[in-house]
Amino acid sequence: MKINKIITLLSVIISLNALAQDGSFLRKKKEQIRAIKIGFITNELDLTPDEATKFWPLFNGFEDKQQEIKKIRLKGYLERLDDDALDKLSDKDASTMLTQMESSEDELYQAKKKFVLSLKGVIAPIKILKLKRAEENFNKKLLQQYRNKKLGR
């Protein structure tokens, strides 16, 4: 199984090199983070080759759906509300906006439920729990790296 992990990490490194040669800086950074996350999750879950071929399309589809919901819907609401706009918002408009935000949050929750349900036929329940833990640990490490970089450590 170690050879699979080495191959995965090598492919991540090669992907990072390819990404570094074209496109915008922000897109490259997002793709780098995504590639590193894939490597991290691969290590944590220790997927068999059969599990991996079924798992990654589901995972990537969910990640795309989650990003779409967050980017288009949730961030859209918040970006429209700078301090001046928020102060000028009527109660009726604020209530409407809250309802739309709740709908987007519910859509995100339903997508997560559907994703977990689809995973149950692909990987063992313990690996689903390990996935949740791996994602949380990855996010913590990413945030810590960002903080360290920002503070110049």
Side-chain angles (χ1 to χ4, degrees), residues 70-84:
K70 287 179 179 180
K71 182 178 180 183
I72 294 173
R73 293 175 180 89
L74 296 176
K75 284 186 180 179
Y77 302 129
L78 298 176
E79 288 173 354
R80 289 185 289 171
L81 291 178
D82 60 12
D83 288 336
D84 291 334

Side-chain angles (χ1 to χ4, degrees), residues 1-2 7 11 26 35 37 41 56-57 68 74 77 82 109 117 120 136:
M1 207 53 166
K2 287 187 179 193
I7 291 171
S11 65
L26 186 56
K37 183 177 183 178
I41 289 172
W56 288 112
E68 173 192 330
L74 296 176
Y77 302 129
D82 60 12
Y109 172 73
L117 185 62
K120 288 181 180 179
E136 288 176 6

